[in-house]
Amino acid sequence: MDTREYIKSLLTNISADIEILFVANVVNKTEIKDFRKTKDSIITEYFTEDEYNQMLIAIRQNGYNVNVFFNEDEFIKFILNHSNNATMPKYVVFNLARNGTGLCKKSLIPSFCDVYNLPSTGSNAYITCLGRHKFHYNAILRQNNISAVKSWLYTKQGWLNGIEPPNNMKLIAKPTYESASRGVRDSSIFEYSTDSIRLLNNLYNEFEQDVIVQEFIQGYEVQVPLIIGDDPLVLEPVAITINNSPNLAEKIITYDLAFSEEYSFAAYSSINKKISDKLIDEAIKTAKCLGMENYGRVDFRIDANGNYYITDISTHPYLIGHSAFAFVFKEMELEYKDIFACIIELTYHKQLVF
């Protein structure tokens, strides 16, 4: 059974009697809890009201009843007040919340759901937390012969274990456990020298966390979405395009670009089918190695010689209309609402097995 057929099979019997508890942070709805003084606000991790409404409508179009929460504490209070309710077994938590600061902020809801045996979309609390620490999962992947990009960690005490990149290597520096391109700017790309330490110190002090430094790969950037049941199933690899070109060369999705969404998508298999197939295999190995659950995404950069390197993963990737998931579902001639039904049905039926 191919991926499209598997998704269609999930959609044949929608469990419309379950109730979705939809937890998401939304601009002008969520109380902002950003405790760091940085110009790259966590607002890029929130959904606009339009984006949120797109997803809410899509979930409801499948026939699900939806209860909405804009703040994590509201959801927690709701469960505490209903923990003896007979309807608890019919809840599925659709979690997209990531408010606040710190490595494990996305793990709050998955961890809480584990305590109350509530099925929650996305990976469990541990994998969610691991998926935010770019250096840790990179080290795990490289140890298992998976093609993750060369990486180093810059800490408050300097280079971890005294290991630093070679001089003159082209690098990119990012805060270790941020997402939505926070801390990623044009100046994040540089050739390493002793002068680079000032940039790294500034980034460390601004975000108050270690800085991951990776070899910068010029070329294509490709996102590979996954649907994960008993085994990972990979959707079509999706190339990022800027100014209608999939070959980004030295371009990256900076904080400003992520905020404006001035980039598009293209099917990477139409650019290079052979490498596209290799990315599928590597994404499957990655999901299995890290124990990703339900759905996720693996991101690559590909150089001019066809060498590919994993640069990032996401355990709760964006599902808005402007996303790799939405692009691929449209390419498969599936509806936008099918993304949410697929994820919800996987989550609900997995809980029934246990």
Side-chain angles (χ1 to χ4, degrees), residues 7 10-11 13-15 18 58-59 61-64 94 329 335-349:
I7 293 171
L10 290 171
L11 303 176
N13 292 300
I14 299 292
S15 308
I18 63 178
I59 294 171
Q61 283 176 336
N62 289 295
Y64 300 117
F94 205 111
F329 268 65
E335 297 183 56
Y336 180 60
K337 68 183 180 71
D338 294 337
I339 299 173
F340 301 90
C342 174
I343 292 169
I344 289 166
E345 294 300 317
L346 271 175
T347 303
Y348 180 62
H349 289 290

mmCIF file of all heavy atoms in Angstrom, residues 7 10-11 13-15 18 58-59 61-64 94 329 335-349:
data_model
loop_
_atom_site.group_PDB
_atom_site.id
_atom_site.type_symbol
_atom_site.label_atom_id
_atom_site.label_comp_id
_atom_site.label_asym_id
_atom_site.label_seq_id
_atom_site.Cartn_x
_atom_site.Cartn_y
_atom_site.Cartn_z
ATOM 1 N N ILE A 7 -3.318 6.787 3.467
ATOM 2 C CA ILE A 7 -4.049 7.950 3.975
ATOM 3 C C ILE A 7 -5.531 7.824 3.657
ATOM 4 O O ILE A 7 -6.388 8.079 4.519
ATOM 5 C CB ILE A 7 -3.464 9.254 3.387
ATOM 6 C CG1 ILE A 7 -2.049 9.488 3.927
ATOM 7 C CG2 ILE A 7 -4.361 10.449 3.708
ATOM 8 C CD1 ILE A 7 -1.304 10.614 3.253
ATOM 9 N N LEU A 10 -7.312 5.638 6.050
ATOM 10 C CA LEU A 10 -7.583 6.278 7.343
ATOM 11 C C LEU A 10 -8.826 7.157 7.281
ATOM 12 O O LEU A 10 -9.495 7.378 8.299
ATOM 13 C CB LEU A 10 -6.389 7.125 7.781
ATOM 14 C CG LEU A 10 -5.117 6.390 8.195
ATOM 15 C CD1 LEU A 10 -3.978 7.389 8.386
ATOM 16 C CD2 LEU A 10 -5.337 5.615 9.487
ATOM 17 N N LEU A 11 -9.111 7.662 6.089
ATOM 18 C CA LEU A 11 -10.209 8.613 5.930
ATOM 19 C C LEU A 11 -11.555 7.940 5.669
ATOM 20 O O LEU A 11 -12.587 8.633 5.638
ATOM 21 C CB LEU A 11 -9.893 9.575 4.770
ATOM 22 C CG LEU A 11 -8.584 10.364 4.878
ATOM 23 C CD1 LEU A 11 -8.353 11.194 3.623
ATOM 24 C CD2 LEU A 11 -8.575 11.251 6.108
ATOM 25 N N ASN A 13 -13.242 5.772 7.539
ATOM 26 C CA ASN A 13 -14.116 5.660 8.712
ATOM 27 C C ASN A 13 -13.701 6.703 9.756
ATOM 28 O O ASN A 13 -12.978 6.406 10.707
ATOM 29 C CB ASN A 13 -14.030 4.249 9.315
ATOM 30 C CG ASN A 13 -14.632 3.203 8.397
ATOM 31 O OD1 ASN A 13 -15.808 3.268 8.062
ATOM 32 N ND2 ASN A 13 -13.804 2.248 7.974
ATOM 33 N N ILE A 14 -14.168 7.936 9.551
ATOM 34 C CA ILE A 14 -13.846 9.010 10.482
ATOM 35 C C ILE A 14 -14.562 8.772 11.813
ATOM 36 O O ILE A 14 -15.764 8.494 11.841
ATOM 37 C CB ILE A 14 -14.267 10.378 9.902
ATOM 38 C CG1 ILE A 14 -13.520 10.656 8.592
ATOM 39 C CG2 ILE A 14 -14.029 11.492 10.918
ATOM 40 C CD1 ILE A 14 -12.052 10.878 8.744
ATOM 41 N N SER A 15 -13.826 8.887 12.899
ATOM 42 C CA SER A 15 -14.396 8.673 14.239
ATOM 43 C C SER A 15 -15.038 9.974 14.717
ATOM 44 O O SER A 15 -14.517 10.664 15.598
ATOM 45 C CB SER A 15 -13.303 8.222 15.206
ATOM 46 O OG SER A 15 -12.594 7.120 14.686
ATOM 47 N N ILE A 18 -15.597 11.390 18.506
ATOM 48 C CA ILE A 18 -14.557 11.870 19.420
ATOM 49 C C ILE A 18 -14.547 13.396 19.442
ATOM 50 O O ILE A 18 -15.023 14.052 18.511
ATOM 51 C CB ILE A 18 -13.159 11.331 19.043
ATOM 52 C CG1 ILE A 18 -12.723 11.816 17.658
ATOM 53 C CG2 ILE A 18 -13.129 9.814 19.101
ATOM 54 C CD1 ILE A 18 -11.347 11.346 17.267
ATOM 55 N N ALA A 58 -10.811 23.348 9.009
ATOM 56 C CA ALA A 58 -10.468 22.056 8.383
ATOM 57 C C ALA A 58 -10.798 20.891 9.316
ATOM 58 O O ALA A 58 -11.329 19.862 8.885
ATOM 59 C CB ALA A 58 -8.997 22.038 8.004
ATOM 60 N N ILE A 59 -10.471 21.032 10.599
ATOM 61 C CA ILE A 59 -10.781 19.969 11.558
ATOM 62 C C ILE A 59 -12.288 19.762 11.638
ATOM 63 O O ILE A 59 -12.787 18.630 11.592
ATOM 64 C CB ILE A 59 -10.200 20.319 12.948
ATOM 65 C CG1 ILE A 59 -8.666 20.328 12.899
ATOM 66 C CG2 ILE A 59 -10.669 19.301 13.995
ATOM 67 C CD1 ILE A 59 -8.007 20.866 14.165
ATOM 68 N N GLN A 61 -14.540 20.455 9.438
ATOM 69 C CA GLN A 61 -15.102 19.938 8.180
ATOM 70 C C GLN A 61 -15.123 18.415 8.136
ATOM 71 O O GLN A 61 -15.869 17.827 7.359
ATOM 72 C CB GLN A 61 -14.307 20.486 6.993
ATOM 73 C CG GLN A 61 -14.637 21.927 6.652
ATOM 74 C CD GLN A 61 -13.770 22.479 5.536
ATOM 75 O OE1 GLN A 61 -12.654 21.993 5.293
ATOM 76 N NE2 GLN A 61 -14.250 23.500 4.855
ATOM 77 N N ASN A 62 -14.299 17.781 8.974
ATOM 78 C CA ASN A 62 -14.292 16.318 9.054
ATOM 79 C C ASN A 62 -15.396 15.778 9.962
ATOM 80 O O ASN A 62 -15.544 14.556 10.089
ATOM 81 C CB ASN A 62 -12.936 15.829 9.557
ATOM 82 C CG ASN A 62 -11.832 16.013 8.535
ATOM 83 O OD1 ASN A 62 -11.840 15.395 7.477
ATOM 84 N ND2 ASN A 62 -10.871 16.881 8.850
ATOM 85 N N GLY A 63 -16.164 16.672 10.583
ATOM 86 C CA GLY A 63 -17.261 16.242 11.437
ATOM 87 C C GLY A 63 -16.918 16.163 12.914
ATOM 88 O O GLY A 63 -17.761 15.777 13.731
ATOM 89 N N TYR A 64 -15.685 16.540 13.283
ATOM 90 C CA TYR A 64 -15.287 16.491 14.684
ATOM 91 C C TYR A 64 -15.864 17.679 15.455
ATOM 92 O O TYR A 64 -15.932 18.799 14.934
ATOM 93 C CB TYR A 64 -13.769 16.531 14.819
ATOM 94 C CG TYR A 64 -13.023 15.408 14.145
ATOM 95 C CD1 TYR A 64 -12.139 15.667 13.096
ATOM 96 C CD2 TYR A 64 -13.184 14.087 14.548
ATOM 97 C CE1 TYR A 64 -11.440 14.647 12.479
ATOM 98 C CE2 TYR A 64 -12.484 13.058 13.949
ATOM 99 C CZ TYR A 64 -11.618 13.344 12.902
ATOM 100 O OH TYR A 64 -10.931 12.327 12.294
ATOM 101 N N PHE A 94 -5.223 17.797 20.004
ATOM 102 C CA PHE A 94 -4.456 18.256 18.842
ATOM 103 C C PHE A 94 -3.594 19.410 19.332
ATOM 104 O O PHE A 94 -4.063 20.534 19.499
ATOM 105 C CB PHE A 94 -5.370 18.696 17.702
ATOM 106 C CG PHE A 94 -4.701 18.583 16.359
ATOM 107 C CD1 PHE A 94 -5.115 17.632 15.438
ATOM 108 C CD2 PHE A 94 -3.632 19.404 16.012
ATOM 109 C CE1 PHE A 94 -4.488 17.506 14.215
ATOM 110 C CE2 PHE A 94 -3.010 19.289 14.788
ATOM 111 C CZ PHE A 94 -3.439 18.339 13.886
ATOM 112 N N PHE A 329 -0.271 17.344 0.162
ATOM 113 C CA PHE A 329 -1.632 16.814 0.106
ATOM 114 C C PHE A 329 -2.353 17.309 -1.148
ATOM 115 O O PHE A 329 -3.098 16.563 -1.788
ATOM 116 C CB PHE A 329 -2.411 17.174 1.369
ATOM 117 C CG PHE A 329 -2.315 16.120 2.442
ATOM 118 C CD1 PHE A 329 -1.101 15.832 3.054
ATOM 119 C CD2 PHE A 329 -3.433 15.405 2.828
ATOM 120 C CE1 PHE A 329 -0.994 14.861 4.036
ATOM 121 C CE2 PHE A 329 -3.348 14.422 3.804
ATOM 122 C CZ PHE A 329 -2.132 14.135 4.415
ATOM 123 N N GLU A 335 -7.669 16.687 0.019
ATOM 124 C CA GLU A 335 -8.116 17.983 0.513
ATOM 125 C C GLU A 335 -7.306 18.423 1.730
ATOM 126 O O GLU A 335 -6.721 17.594 2.440
ATOM 127 C CB GLU A 335 -9.606 17.921 0.869
ATOM 128 C CG GLU A 335 -10.509 17.625 -0.313
ATOM 129 C CD GLU A 335 -11.979 17.642 0.087
ATOM 130 O OE1 GLU A 335 -12.421 18.674 0.636
ATOM 131 O OE2 GLU A 335 -12.669 16.642 -0.124
ATOM 132 N N TYR A 336 -7.320 19.719 1.973
ATOM 133 C CA TYR A 336 -6.596 20.275 3.118
ATOM 134 C C TYR A 336 -7.092 19.656 4.425
ATOM 135 O O TYR A 336 -6.302 19.309 5.301
ATOM 136 C CB TYR A 336 -6.756 21.796 3.135
ATOM 137 C CG TYR A 336 -6.056 22.487 4.287
ATOM 138 C CD1 TYR A 336 -4.674 22.375 4.462
ATOM 139 C CD2 TYR A 336 -6.777 23.263 5.199
ATOM 140 C CE1 TYR A 336 -4.030 23.016 5.514
ATOM 141 C CE2 TYR A 336 -6.139 23.906 6.250
ATOM 142 C CZ TYR A 336 -4.772 23.775 6.407
ATOM 143 O OH TYR A 336 -4.134 24.405 7.455
ATOM 144 N N LYS A 337 -8.392 19.463 4.548
ATOM 145 C CA LYS A 337 -8.951 18.898 5.774
ATOM 146 C C LYS A 337 -8.464 17.473 6.027
ATOM 147 O O LYS A 337 -8.452 17.002 7.173
ATOM 148 C CB LYS A 337 -10.483 18.921 5.727
ATOM 149 C CG LYS A 337 -11.128 17.990 4.703
ATOM 150 C CD LYS A 337 -12.628 18.165 4.696
ATOM 151 C CE LYS A 337 -13.311 17.254 3.686
ATOM 152 N NZ LYS A 337 -13.284 15.850 4.091
ATOM 153 N N ASP A 338 -8.025 16.795 4.975
ATOM 154 C CA ASP A 338 -7.570 15.409 5.117
ATOM 155 C C ASP A 338 -6.292 15.304 5.950
ATOM 156 O O ASP A 338 -6.034 14.265 6.575
ATOM 157 C CB ASP A 338 -7.345 14.778 3.738
ATOM 158 C CG ASP A 338 -8.633 14.629 2.947
ATOM 159 O OD1 ASP A 338 -9.713 14.595 3.569
ATOM 160 O OD2 ASP A 338 -8.557 14.547 1.700
ATOM 161 N N ILE A 339 -5.477 16.356 5.950
ATOM 162 C CA ILE A 339 -4.266 16.353 6.783
ATOM 163 C C ILE A 339 -4.647 16.095 8.232
ATOM 164 O O ILE A 339 -4.062 15.248 8.926
ATOM 165 C CB ILE A 339 -3.523 17.701 6.689
ATOM 166 C CG1 ILE A 339 -3.080 17.995 5.256
ATOM 167 C CG2 ILE A 339 -2.319 17.725 7.642
ATOM 168 C CD1 ILE A 339 -2.498 19.389 5.074
ATOM 169 N N PHE A 340 -5.650 16.809 8.693
ATOM 170 C CA PHE A 340 -6.022 16.768 10.106
ATOM 171 C C PHE A 340 -6.745 15.476 10.456
ATOM 172 O O PHE A 340 -6.501 14.887 11.517
ATOM 173 C CB PHE A 340 -6.858 18.004 10.444
ATOM 174 C CG PHE A 340 -6.114 19.273 10.175
ATOM 175 C CD1 PHE A 340 -6.184 19.890 8.935
ATOM 176 C CD2 PHE A 340 -5.287 19.826 11.131
ATOM 177 C CE1 PHE A 340 -5.475 21.043 8.664
ATOM 178 C CE2 PHE A 340 -4.564 20.981 10.878
ATOM 179 C CZ PHE A 340 -4.656 21.588 9.645
ATOM 180 N N ALA A 341 -7.597 15.009 9.563
ATOM 181 C CA ALA A 341 -8.283 13.735 9.802
ATOM 182 C C ALA A 341 -7.277 12.599 9.881
ATOM 183 O O ALA A 341 -7.379 11.711 10.740
ATOM 184 C CB ALA A 341 -9.304 13.474 8.694
ATOM 185 N N CYS A 342 -6.296 12.613 9.000
ATOM 186 C CA CYS A 342 -5.264 11.579 8.972
ATOM 187 C C CYS A 342 -4.515 11.533 10.304
ATOM 188 O O CYS A 342 -4.355 10.470 10.918
ATOM 189 C CB CYS A 342 -4.307 11.857 7.814
ATOM 190 S SG CYS A 342 -2.868 10.777 7.746
ATOM 191 N N ILE A 343 -4.066 12.690 10.780
ATOM 192 C CA ILE A 343 -3.299 12.765 12.027
ATOM 193 C C ILE A 343 -4.170 12.375 13.223
ATOM 194 O O ILE A 343 -3.734 11.629 14.109
ATOM 195 C CB ILE A 343 -2.721 14.179 12.194
ATOM 196 C CG1 ILE A 343 -1.643 14.435 11.135
ATOM 197 C CG2 ILE A 343 -2.150 14.383 13.592
ATOM 198 C CD1 ILE A 343 -1.191 15.873 11.037
ATOM 199 N N ILE A 344 -5.399 12.854 13.252
ATOM 200 C CA ILE A 344 -6.298 12.557 14.370
ATOM 201 C C ILE A 344 -6.635 11.072 14.423
ATOM 202 O O ILE A 344 -6.606 10.450 15.500
ATOM 203 C CB ILE A 344 -7.583 13.401 14.252
ATOM 204 C CG1 ILE A 344 -7.263 14.870 14.547
ATOM 205 C CG2 ILE A 344 -8.673 12.884 15.192
ATOM 206 C CD1 ILE A 344 -8.358 15.844 14.142
ATOM 207 N N GLU A 345 -6.941 10.477 13.276
ATOM 208 C CA GLU A 345 -7.301 9.055 13.260
ATOM 209 C C GLU A 345 -6.116 8.181 13.669
ATOM 210 O O GLU A 345 -6.269 7.207 14.414
ATOM 211 C CB GLU A 345 -7.820 8.651 11.875
ATOM 212 C CG GLU A 345 -9.140 9.307 11.493
ATOM 213 C CD GLU A 345 -10.262 8.979 12.459
ATOM 214 O OE1 GLU A 345 -10.391 7.808 12.879
ATOM 215 O OE2 GLU A 345 -11.016 9.912 12.824
ATOM 216 N N LEU A 346 -4.929 8.520 13.209
ATOM 217 C CA LEU A 346 -3.730 7.787 13.622
ATOM 218 C C LEU A 346 -3.554 7.847 15.140
ATOM 219 O O LEU A 346 -3.280 6.836 15.790
ATOM 220 C CB LEU A 346 -2.487 8.385 12.955
ATOM 221 C CG LEU A 346 -2.064 7.842 11.601
ATOM 222 C CD1 LEU A 346 -0.893 8.658 11.061
ATOM 223 C CD2 LEU A 346 -1.683 6.377 11.687
ATOM 224 N N THR A 347 -3.716 9.040 15.691
ATOM 225 C CA THR A 347 -3.535 9.239 17.134
ATOM 226 C C THR A 347 -4.576 8.461 17.930
ATOM 227 O O THR A 347 -4.252 7.762 18.901
ATOM 228 C CB THR A 347 -3.644 10.740 17.471
ATOM 229 O OG1 THR A 347 -2.682 11.467 16.704
ATOM 230 C CG2 THR A 347 -3.399 10.989 18.948
ATOM 231 N N TYR A 348 -5.835 8.554 17.518
ATOM 232 C CA TYR A 348 -6.934 7.924 18.256
ATOM 233 C C TYR A 348 -6.832 6.401 18.216
ATOM 234 O O TYR A 348 -6.934 5.730 19.250
ATOM 235 C CB TYR A 348 -8.267 8.384 17.670
ATOM 236 C CG TYR A 348 -9.478 7.798 18.361
ATOM 237 C CD1 TYR A 348 -9.723 8.056 19.710
ATOM 238 C CD2 TYR A 348 -10.384 7.000 17.663
ATOM 239 C CE1 TYR A 348 -10.837 7.532 20.339
ATOM 240 C CE2 TYR A 348 -11.497 6.473 18.293
ATOM 241 C CZ TYR A 348 -11.721 6.744 19.631
ATOM 242 O OH TYR A 348 -12.816 6.216 20.263
ATOM 243 N N HIS A 349 -6.588 5.844 17.059
ATOM 244 C CA HIS A 349 -6.570 4.382 16.929
ATOM 245 C C HIS A 349 -5.318 3.782 17.542
ATOM 246 O O HIS A 349 -5.365 2.627 18.016
ATOM 247 C CB HIS A 349 -6.729 3.992 15.455
ATOM 248 C CG HIS A 349 -8.102 4.259 14.935
ATOM 249 N ND1 HIS A 349 -9.202 3.539 15.333
ATOM 250 C CD2 HIS A 349 -8.560 5.202 14.074
ATOM 251 C CE1 HIS A 349 -10.289 4.011 14.734
ATOM 252 N NE2 HIS A 349 -9.926 5.023 13.960
#
